Amino acid sequence: MLDDVPLDVLAATFREVRLVDAVHLRPARRQARAYPNVTFVTAEISGAAACFHDGDATITDPLGPLCGDPEVDLVISANVLSQLPILPLDWFGSRGRVPPPDLGRRIVRGHLDGLGRLSARVCLVTDVEQVDKGP
């Protein structure tokens, strides 16, 4: 939804802005139309794709191929880390399958590790605590 992404500032500051996500919602697409230097890259960024296709429990680093180019000078990860595993875990549940052990934790760790390997400056916008106040 780009709620935490200052797209106007980024488009004015950088020659090229790439918005990377598995799904680009209509409101984000509408907002980006105003900026000719903003493009969309559709990519699965949880690193869990191998788990879906061949049952391999390996978490890959999708950020390196997407953002590892030396020309990339800023990467903003604007997601809720605790939500990165939701779709991969739901995929297993919807098929009556058991996900690989600790898949959710490994997805989050893999994302943080992938960001740490980038030579670009990184800005992480995420949740840090979840509070359950009960019923």
Side-chain angles (χ1 to χ4, degrees), residues 10 16-17 27 30 35 52 73 81-82 104 110 112 117 126 130:
L10 294 172
E16 181 181 4
V17 176
R30 266 195 300 271
Y35 309 103
F52 307 137
D73 55 358
L81 282 176
S82 64
L112 293 173
R117 284 190 290 273
T126 188
Q130 179 177 339

Side-chain angles (χ1 to χ4, degrees), residues 99-123:
D102 298 327
L103 179 62
R105 182 189 57 74
R106 290 186 300 121
I107 288 172
V108 171
R109 181 80 260 150
H111 187 73
L112 293 173
D113 290 347
L115 290 172
R117 284 190 290 273
L118 297 175
S119 61
R121 291 173 290 163
V122 173
C123 172

